[in-house]
Amino acid sequence: MLNALMKIFGKKEPSGKVARDRLKVVLIHDRASVSPEIMEHLKHDILEVVAKYLDIRPQEMNITLADDEDSVALVANIPVTNMRHGGKH
């Protein structure tokens, strides 16, 4: 809750935490053996499929890999502005 309020009121995270989070992302990508080019293709493909069914804000889309102790998860944060009914074909 406090983190959400801090983001709303513009309080920035300490640069050390930001750097640590970025390093985690780099290490996760390295462990999963996913190159930056593959991640970009994956983002593009996911964006293309999701946009068939939802109105989204692609410029605000964030797709990352998250590391658990024994697995890697694909985490997608895609802002949706509207639902499409029937999809676009």
Side-chain angles (χ1 to χ4, degrees):
M1 176 83 171
L2 182 60
N3 287 339
L5 289 174
M6 290 171 67
K7 287 182 181 182
I8 290 172
F9 293 109
K11 181 151 180 152
K12 293 185 178 182
E13 293 184 27
S15 61
K17 182 177 180 343
V18 172
R20 186 173 47 251
D21 290 345
R22 287 182 183 162
L23 180 58
K24 282 182 185 178
V25 170
V26 169
L27 291 173
I28 291 166
H29 285 258
D30 188 48
R31 284 187 204 148
S33 300
V34 177
S35 71
E37 294 83 19
I38 295 295
M39 278 303 291
E40 284 304 312
H41 289 296
L42 183 60
K43 287 179 184 180
H44 173 75
D45 290 348
I46 290 171
L47 175 67
E48 192 174 285
V49 171
V50 171
K52 288 181 182 180
Y53 304 97
L54 306 168
D55 290 330
I56 60 174
R57 294 191 308 257
Q59 66 278 9
E60 297 177 29
M61 180 174 90
N62 183 22
I63 296 179
T64 60
L65 295 173
D67 190 20
D68 196 353
E69 289 182 17
D70 59 349
S71 64
V72 176
L74 179 68
V75 179
N77 182 355
I78 306 170
V80 176
T81 58
N82 196 16
M83 299 293 291
R84 293 177 191 244
H85 299 285
K88 78 176 181 187
H89 297 289

